[in-house]
Amino acid sequence: MVLDVNWAVKWLTLSAQAMAEHRVELIELDRAIGDSDHGENMDRGFQAVLDKLAEAPPQTPGAALKLTAMTLMSKVGGAAGPLYGTAFLRAATSLGDSAEIEPEAWATALAAARDGIVARGKAESGDKTMVDAWTPAVEAARKAAAAGDADVLTVLVAAAEAAEAGAVATDPMVARKGRASYLGERSAGHRDPGAASSALILRAAVGAAA
């Protein structure tokens, strides 16, 4: 499997489908510890991404991710737009004009995306945010890519599985950042919606390569 622009467009398409399918779930997660708009915002944002991809088909994976970044920043309200927009923009910059993405390049792009989220949101692992899904994903991708015979699908799967586990791991955490932090101990027992949507997006990347 080659990660080229066709894969990138399929990934973003599957991400949009995932946001639509899990819209209510994300709304409910956000209702418990946030302001109930995460599912709606993510669904609207990724539908807008699909419209933009149709209007101006990108020529490289990086171009597809940059278009996504710009669209999410302009269409998604709350914290999610700037955070996801920064993540996709940093990943796009990391990939540059490459026509195809090798395993190590994907791991590096994921790290750039995570670092963008950290820089924008000032959160770290354990704060009960989307960082708790992205950091395990980055670590797993790097480990998988470091294996000399690793193919890119292996790296994608490793990242997705780690993100999913990271999202689940936010359940017992007490939030230290964002609106959820206002709840203090009452934020424990609820999954972070940003971590949940991050896991869905990274799982969509696997689906696009399958």
Side-chain angles (χ1 to χ4, degrees):
M1 175 65 203
V2 174
L3 299 192
D4 56 12
V5 68
N6 293 323
W7 165 82
V9 170
K10 187 176 180 182
W11 171 31
L12 297 167
T13 301
L14 292 180
S15 293
Q17 291 176 7
M19 295 305 108
E21 291 169 6
H22 294 271
R23 172 179 166 275
V24 173
E25 174 191 336
L26 293 173
I27 287 172
E28 292 302 319
L29 289 176
D30 200 28
R31 178 171 289 129
I33 58 174
D35 51 10
S36 309
D37 65 353
H38 189 64
E40 187 69 40
N41 284 340
M42 293 300 290
D43 182 23
R44 183 177 64 252
F46 270 92
Q47 291 305 314
V49 168
L50 294 188
D51 291 341
K52 291 294 185 180
L53 288 170
E55 288 174 13
Q59 300 302 307
T60 64
L65 300 193
K66 183 176 180 180
L67 180 151
T68 300
M70 297 298 102
T71 304
L72 294 179
M73 285 180 179
S74 65
K75 297 294 185 180
V76 178
L83 290 170
Y84 272 115
T86 301
F88 277 102
L89 186 59
R90 293 285 187 94
T93 301
S94 175
L95 294 174
D97 296 326
S98 299
E100 297 181 1
I101 306 171
E102 299 296 330
E104 289 189 358
W106 176 245
T108 300
L110 279 183
R114 186 276 312 277
D115 292 348
I117 293 168
V118 170
R120 172 71 72 164
K122 302 296 189 286
E124 57 188 39
S125 294
D127 283 345
K128 196 184 181 89
T129 71
M130 59 201 298
V131 174
D132 291 299
W134 282 87
T135 291
V138 168
E139 293 171 350
R142 281 174 167 166
K143 183 176 180 180
D149 58 348
D151 61 25
V152 75
L153 182 58
T154 300
V155 179
L156 290 170
V157 170
E161 291 179 347
E164 288 162 350
V168 171
T170 66
D171 290 5
M173 293 178 181
V174 174
R176 298 195 295 246
K177 289 287 182 179
R179 187 178 293 269
S181 65
Y182 302 157
L183 297 175
E185 296 290 336
R186 288 180 295 148
S187 65
H190 302 283
R191 188 161 306 169
D192 178 70
S197 61
S198 295
L200 290 171
I201 289 169
L202 292 177
R203 175 55 64 180
V206 177

